[in-house]
């Protein structure tokens, strides 16, 4: 039986999911496909992220012949057969250059890889190579010099995979729609969250479950746990994940690393994905730590990105790193209070115009309008000089949004800002 992941491969570009860092409507790569100007390329990334699917879609969109080789079982002999077929005038009447897709090209040795050089250079065929290994180490420099475009495929987000699973469950033609199987709340999200961004693994897990239950049956947490061979502890109610996220943030805000790790563990055990937890941790880094330890946001962002790259189970380590750091830091909410006070002022009162000396004066005629005149360049005064920055009405009112605390590093910034006020009084 054909695996569900194979049956559900998208046939057109607009049905492709993931890789939004280079593939989105209006992107250069999207337009190149639509304009039929895609040349040879290297697709690099983990399994199940859409490399083969996108290669097939490209050939389909460009109405070009498509030949597929797997480097683990094919070699120069098979490649030469394809090249001879393309060059032979009696084979086909294609108006477009055919594509050869070499999957797992890192399995070819230097000699085998070099067999592609001449046909790429002559334009006889266009080559799309895919690899799960870093192409700058796995591919010959001669190949990379002839193939300009190297596209890195990243693990799909939990949201993208959940959407793919929902579509597979309802699709009557290619998917499981005829079985009329439903999924209990959170079960598809659990599958997507525990397959490390691999759409193929997620779809085949869903297919395995549906092929071994009755028509019209409901997919339960227990069935998913059995299929994945992982214990299931779903949230008891739909809103429980938000209660756990709230408890995580409040424990961190209260500087209790033990409670923070406890609620983090419950989120992970309950099926929360890296993105859900990571977003909250990054918010905490600025909302609750902020200027008391300005490096917190940088460290936490690095932890979250590392967790996204590795996936579970290793991701738990980076997320714990971030949670423990945040709980152990001095705290300040001055960033959120400052911006919220400024936003409230903007809604409640009309701010005067920007002072003329602060406006852009890098154009002819600015001085004639009185723009830029009188601006004092702080670096010419040793790094600081007193002058007006706020609009007139806010400046006259002595408006202050940022109120630094004495906590952690913020105490240093507070001391510095207060020293500037002392200079102003002198």
């Amino acid at each position: 039986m054909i695996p569900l992941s194979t049956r559900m491969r998208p046939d057109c570009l607009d049905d492709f999911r993931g890789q939004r860092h280079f593939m989105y409507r209006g992107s250069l790569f999207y337009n190149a496909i639509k304009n039929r100007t895609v040349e040879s390329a290297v697709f690099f990334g983990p399994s199940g992220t859409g490399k083969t699917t996108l290669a097939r879609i490209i050939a389909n969109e460009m109405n070009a012949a498509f030949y597929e080789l797997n480097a683990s079982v094919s070699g120069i002999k098979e490649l030469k057969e394809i090249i001879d077929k393309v060059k032979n005038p009696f084979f086909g009447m294609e108006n477009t250059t055919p594509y050869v897709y070499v999957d797992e090209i890192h399995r070819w040795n230097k000699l085998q890889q070099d067999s592609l050089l001449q046909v790429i250079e002559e334009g006889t065929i266009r080559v799309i190579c895919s690899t799960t290994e870093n192409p700058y180490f796995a591919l010959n420099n001669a190949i990379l010099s002839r193939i300009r475009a190297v596209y890195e495929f990243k693990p799909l987000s939990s949201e993208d995979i959940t959407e793919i699973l929902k579509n597979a469950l309802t699709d009557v033609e290619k998917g499981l729609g005829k079985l009329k199987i439903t999924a209990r709340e959170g079960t598809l999200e659990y599958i997507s969250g525990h397959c490390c961004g691999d759409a193929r693994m997620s779809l085949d897990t869903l297919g395995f479950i549906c092929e071994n239950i009755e028509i019209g049956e409901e997919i339960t947490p227990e069935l998913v746990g059995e299929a994945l061979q992982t214990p299931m502890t779903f949230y008891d109610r739909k809103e429980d994940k938000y209660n756990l996220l709230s408890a995580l943030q409040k424990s961190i805000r209260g500087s209790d690393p033990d409670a923070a790790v406890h609620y983090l563990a419950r989120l992970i055990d309950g099926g929360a994905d890296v993105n859900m937890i990571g977003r909250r941790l990054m918010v905490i880094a600025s909302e609750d730590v902020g200027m008391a330890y300005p490096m917190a946001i940088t460290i936490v962002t690095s932890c979250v990105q590392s967790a996204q790259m590795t996936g579970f189970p290793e991701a738990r380590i980076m997320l714990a790193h971030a949670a423990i750091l945040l709980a152990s830091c001095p705290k300040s909410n001055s960033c959120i209070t400052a911006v919220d006070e400024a936003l409230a002022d903007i809604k409640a009162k009309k701010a005067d115009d920007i002072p003329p000396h602060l406006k852009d004066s890098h154009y002819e005629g600015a001085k004639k309008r009185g723009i830029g005149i009188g601006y004092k360049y702080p670096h010419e005064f040793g790094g600081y000089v007193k002058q007006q920055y706020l609009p007139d009405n806010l400046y006259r009112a002595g408006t202050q949004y940022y109120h630094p605390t004495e906590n952690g590093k913020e105490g240093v910034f507070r001391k510095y800002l207060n020293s500037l006020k002392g200079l102003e009084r002198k």
Side-chain angles (χ1 to χ4, degrees), residues 148-357:
R148 177 193 58 80
V150 177
Y151 294 96
E152 182 177 358
F153 283 60
K154 298 181 180 180
L156 273 66
S157 69
S158 179
E159 292 81 3
D160 279 336
I161 294 182
T162 300
E163 184 180 345
I164 291 170
L165 294 178
K166 288 178 179 177
N167 183 48
L169 206 56
T170 56
D171 190 310
V172 176
E173 294 183 6
K174 298 189 297 182
L176 305 163
K178 292 180 180 179
L179 300 179
K180 297 181 180 179
I181 290 172
T182 58
R184 189 174 299 178
E185 181 71 31
T187 50
L188 297 183
E189 288 79 1
Y190 192 89
I191 294 173
S192 62
H194 281 71
C195 287
C196 303
D198 187 327
R200 182 189 295 112
M201 185 188 300
S202 300
L203 281 166
D204 289 341
T205 298
L206 179 65
F208 172 72
I209 295 170
C210 293
E211 288 163 7
N212 293 284
I213 59 176
E214 299 296 327
I215 293 176
E217 194 172 337
E218 181 185 57
I219 300 174
T220 63
E222 292 72 26
L223 288 171
V224 174
E226 188 178 345
L228 292 171
Q229 286 298 290
T230 58
M232 302 289 288
T233 49
F234 273 98
Y235 312 113
D236 292 332
R237 298 182 301 278
K238 185 177 179 180
E239 71 272 13
D240 271 4
K241 60 184 176 184
Y242 300 108
N243 288 336
L244 288 171
L245 287 169
S246 176
L248 172 66
Q249 181 164 6
K250 289 171 181 172
S251 298
I252 290 173
R253 185 182 295 155
S255 298
D256 189 331
D258 300 308
V261 170
H262 170 79
Y263 291 117
L264 172 65
R266 284 175 63 172
L267 280 162
I268 294 171
D269 194 50
D273 66 9
V274 170
N275 292 332
M276 177 192 295
I277 299 170
R279 282 193 296 266
R280 182 59 65 101
L281 290 172
M282 287 190 287
V283 168
I284 295 168
S286 286
E287 181 181 347
D288 295 303
V289 175
M291 295 296 291
Y293 184 47
M295 281 295 293
I297 183 64
T298 304
I299 297 171
V300 169
T301 300
S302 295
C303 288
V304 172
Q305 290 174 342
S306 299
Q308 289 170 332
M309 290 178 67
T310 56
F312 287 116
E314 288 83 0
R316 76 192 190 283
I317 307 168
M318 295 82 165
L319 295 176
H321 179 169
I324 292 170
L325 172 79
L326 291 171
S328 305
C329 281
K331 305 297 186 294
S332 171
N333 70 340
S334 59
C335 292
I336 187 174
T337 56
V339 71
D340 283 353
E341 285 180 25
L343 287 169
D345 260 5
I346 290 169
K347 291 179 180 179
K349 63 181 77 167
K350 183 180 182 300
D352 288 346
D353 194 14
I354 299 168
H357 64 280

Side-chain angles (χ1 to χ4, degrees), residues 336-388:
I336 187 174
T337 56
V339 71
D340 283 353
E341 285 180 25
L343 287 169
D345 260 5
I346 290 169
K347 291 179 180 179
K349 63 181 77 167
K350 183 180 182 300
D352 288 346
D353 194 14
I354 299 168
H357 64 280
L358 297 184
K359 291 184 178 179
D360 178 30
S361 59
H362 293 88
Y363 61 92
E364 190 175 349
K367 288 185 177 180
K368 292 180 180 178
R369 299 179 57 202
I371 291 175
I373 296 174
Y375 172 67
K376 299 174 184 177
Y377 187 54
H379 298 292
E380 292 180 352
F381 297 85
Y384 175 76
V385 61
K386 178 176 170 56
Q387 65 184 322
Q388 177 184 338

Side-chain angles (χ1 to χ4, degrees), residues 25-43:
R25 186 180 291 273
S27 70
L28 286 175
F29 194 68
Y30 180 95
N31 291 342
I33 297 172
K34 288 297 184 182
N35 296 333
R36 300 186 176 185
T37 59
V38 178
E39 299 297 333
S40 297
V42 174
F43 291 170

